[in-house]
Amino acid sequence: MCIPDGCTVYKYDTKGVVAYGYELGDEFWVLQGSTAVKDSAVVKSCPENAVDARREHIVRGDWVERTYDILIVETCVFSSKTVAADAIAGNHESGMQVWQPVPEDSGKSW
């Protein structure tokens, strides 16, 4: 995976899944290897645009269902941190609050 120079990597950890992503322009990119909750964990109040995004990524094969979660096998783009968080968690979240910067000295390599 290649993170564009100058981009901060963010982490979102919820409900037993962990996702990493970065902002580029007006978009938010979720990295390959991240995970999302299974469809059975999506609540009825999850915003429709997030439900549609989940469905689209599953149909395209970017997201693969496993026993306990969904594996994101291709880096995918969302219109915002909030839509990405909603799609990953299966409920409404404030993207600005839940995505936390990963410290550069975390030892994580992209």
Side-chain angles (χ1 to χ4, degrees):
M1 282 172 273
C2 184
I3 307 296
D5 287 341
C7 287
T8 299
V9 176
Y10 295 90
K11 178 181 179 181
Y12 179 35
D13 189 346
T14 187
K15 299 180 183 178
V17 299
V18 179
Y20 293 92
Y22 62 91
E23 286 181 290
L24 186 60
D26 291 336
E27 299 172 323
F28 192 78
W29 294 76
V30 175
L31 298 173
Q32 172 186 4
S34 296
T35 54
V37 299
K38 289 188 64 110
D39 282 348
S40 60
V42 175
V43 299
K44 290 182 182 184
S45 61
C46 185
E48 192 64 32
N49 59 346
V51 173
D52 291 344
R54 287 176 61 89
R55 191 173 306 123
E56 178 182 324
H57 288 297
I58 290 169
V59 167
R60 280 202 324 237
D62 299 338
W63 290 23
V64 176
E65 292 193 55
R66 302 189 301 186
T67 304
Y68 298 107
D69 62 13
I70 293 175
L71 177 64
I72 299 172
V73 296
E74 295 290 334
T75 297
C76 49
V77 65
F78 293 89
S79 59
S80 69
K81 282 181 175 179
T82 296
V83 175
D86 293 349
I88 288 163
N91 57 264
H92 181 63
E93 297 285 354
S94 170
M96 296 301 287
Q97 293 178 354
V98 300
W99 289 99
Q100 299 299 312
V102 175
E104 288 186 28
D105 62 354
S106 68
K108 193 88 171 137
S109 62
W110 313 108

